[in-house]
Amino acid sequence: MDIFWTKIMPECVSAYPWGREFSGKMSAKKIEEGISARVKKMSDDEFDLFLSAVVMQSSKDQMMGVALTEKIQFFRSLRK
């Protein structure tokens, strides 16, 4: 089980109006695809706030270092 997609991300996006459509009961693949689609549509400012929320929630759930860096790079690659 990928804790990032099934625990951290649903908690992280719960504050967004669209975040209610993601829950930890969904498959990691479905959460990743849905959030990836949302990230691609974000403005630069929204994306910066989103990344900040990801970092804070990840830190709270003890995910740091290389594992977190890989996820941040993934989100940034969606914006190119």
Side-chain angles (χ1 to χ4, degrees):
M1 180 164 97
D2 188 342
I3 190 170
F4 183 79
W5 294 110
T6 58
K7 183 177 185 316
I8 294 172
M9 287 311 301
E11 289 177 14
C12 182
V13 300
S14 66
Y16 292 93
W18 50 265
R20 285 178 246 126
E21 62 190 70
F22 301 101
S23 73
K25 296 177 183 175
M26 296 171 66
S27 72
K29 182 173 176 66
K30 188 169 183 169
I31 294 172
E32 180 179 350
E33 290 170 353
I35 292 177
S36 295
R38 293 285 181 174
V39 166
K40 290 176 184 179
K41 296 178 184 178
M42 289 179 182
S43 70
D44 289 343
D45 290 337
E46 288 175 309
F47 181 67
D48 289 343
L49 288 173
F50 171 77
L51 280 185
S52 297
V54 169
V55 169
M56 289 187 295
Q57 186 64 47
S58 297
S59 177
K60 181 180 174 185
D61 290 325
Q62 303 296 313
M63 181 181 189
M64 296 173 258
V66 174
L68 178 57
T69 301
E70 288 173 350
K71 301 303 185 188
I72 297 297
Q73 289 174 338
F74 167 74
F75 288 125
R76 285 188 175 153
S77 73
L78 297 173
R79 305 283 296 164
K80 292 181 182 180

